[in-house]
Amino acid sequence: MKKKRRATASAQKRHRASPRKRGSGPDSRGRGKAPGTPAETMTAAEAVVATLIGHGLDTIYALPGVQNDFLFEALFKFSDRLRTVHPRHEQAAGYMALGAALATGKPQAFAVVPGPGLLNAGAALLTAFATNAPTLGLVGQIPDADIGRDLGQLHEIRDQAGIIARLVDHTKLIRTPERASRATALALRAMHSGRPGPAVLECAIDVWGKPGAVRLEAPLPAPAPKIDTDAVRRAAKLLGGAKRPLIICGGGAQDASAEVTALSDMLQAPVLAFRRGRGVLDGRSPFAVTLPLGHALWREADVVLAVGTRLLIQFRQWGLGPKQKIVRIDADPKEHDRLHKPAVALTGDAAPLLQSLLAELPKHNAKRAPRAAEMQERQAVWRKRFEEKIGPQLAFLDAIRAELPEDGIFVEDITQVVFAARVAFPVYKPRSYISPGFQDPLGLGFATALGVQHARPDVPVVAVCGDGGFMFTATEMATAMRHRIPLVTIVFNDGAYGNVRRIQQERFGNRLIASDLANPDFVAFGKSFGAEAVRAMGPDELRRALRRAFAHRDGPTLIEVPVGAFPSPWEFLILPTVWE
Ligand SMILES: Cc1ncc(C[n+]2csc(CCOP(=O)(O)OP(=O)(O)O)c2C)c(N)n1
Ligand SMILES: [Mg+2]
């Protein structure tokens, strides 16, 4: 083992002794070569990076360390084609890749050292799994021959592969440069075939820099499941004959906006979306409904079409009626009958399945009276209730909506204005409302939004945070400055884990514990990095601050909004059981 370590150390010395300038140097290994070309000599790291480029990736969110030195050497070499964005903590590497993946629907990569680096990125990986986000983690390893020997090598962690395998569906240890490209291509294919999701590749400190005869792998075909035309016909019959059809969208419907919109029109069916399905149907349509109105519509619905959603709220909180029939569309066949067997189950991507349904439906569809006026009236009733019960949050959300362009992106952190946004913020476009779904990891908002903004430099992005959540990753303001990311971040500052605090007041006899916070001066904090930073007192000032902030594209803006306690939004989020 000693010999191996020495060999690694001397290889590193060689590397340090011969620095290459960006985009120059005599070395032509791999540069400019398209995937699928004949074998050439490359390191494992170069093979991985060239394969990422061959698959269309243009960025990696990565924090260096000795195990990954040869990976970073490859990133340097390919830096004209793949940008390396380095954050200040591995959680942000993972969260930035997550944000970029959710905002684009395309695969994104991050790299971290093993052990603490991997665990630091753990919440992001967990959230990528929960949101089916295609992020690829490149994770270092101790020397290959020492893996599993409990020697106490730098950053060693027991059974790293086992830990990773619990977090993601696809993982592989790269053992040789010859197999590195194929392993990468297989991981990238796994990330978007069937149910999308994260994958991880591990590679040992002494393997990343090993040269070998590498054949670069082009993107591998990912065959789509055959459409079950019989099931499509049964679904069309059920939906076509439905008296009060309801469509429910989750994150799996984000790439089927046109199809969902057409179907809603054909069926005159409202489309319920909670968080990850927001924006699939334009929020300006009276048919786009959120939870409370959706709850009433669920009670009325005889046939429900569920697209890319777990239906957990409906099944666990509201209950399934004795006569309700469910048609499910999901990329993951295991999802269909986890809780209830649907009347019809269709497996595959939402868009092609909905296209076949749209083609079949006219043969079976009942003549339908227009429902727009009814929906408009019912929406207005709920808007009034929001104004009465959660007016303070609504005023801030109205200010954000008024200034955020229609394709601008709203990123959730876990805070009270966001709880209200989940039911009361209209979302106009797919992938323009970024939510961590059921994981709800406090503190992801700022770092995730940095990734969103980095991947979508063409549109304004706003991260909506509380003072508690923002401080989880506030140091990433340095990353925003270093990489000139023009993200706008709102921090609603109530000096508390306010949501927790209110629960302690209302449900636990005001026995307050661990919910009051000491904060920095957020404006001074932002300015100390060189960022634009302002304080906005109330919704009108927030609106003016946002207008200036969205026009400032040269770097980040932090807007602190001092607030008091907010009224509880929970009556709109946790609704009563409909069917026992
Ligand atoms: C990783 C993680 N830890 C803890 C929580 C529990 N939690 C949810 S909201 C919240 C308080 C958030 O405080 P802040 O960001 O200031 O928003 P506020 O409630 O004050 O609006 C906490 C602690 C969580 N969701 N995730
Ligand atoms: Mg707070």
Side-chain angles (χ1 to χ4, degrees), residues 485-541:
I485 301 173
L487 173 67
V488 178
T489 304
I490 306 173
V491 177
F492 287 102
N493 181 8
D494 62 352
Y497 291 132
N499 176 54
V500 176
R501 195 174 193 279
R502 196 188 44 248
I503 291 171
Q504 291 172 351
Q505 281 174 324
E506 290 178 0
R507 298 234 301 266
F508 294 88
N510 205 30
R511 289 183 291 281
L512 301 179
I513 179 158
S515 56
D516 286 310
L517 302 172
N519 281 324
D521 173 335
F522 285 107
V523 174
F525 174 84
K527 284 189 170 156
S528 73
F529 290 85
E532 290 290 316
V534 292
R535 189 165 289 121
M537 306 301 292
D540 292 341
E541 281 192 28

Side-chain angles (χ1 to χ4, degrees), residues 414-416 419 440-442 466-469 472 494 496-500 517:
I414 322 306
T415 185
Q416 298 176 81
F419 294 150
D440 245 10
L442 181 60
D467 48 332
F472 273 47
D494 62 352
Y497 291 132
N499 176 54
V500 176
L517 302 172

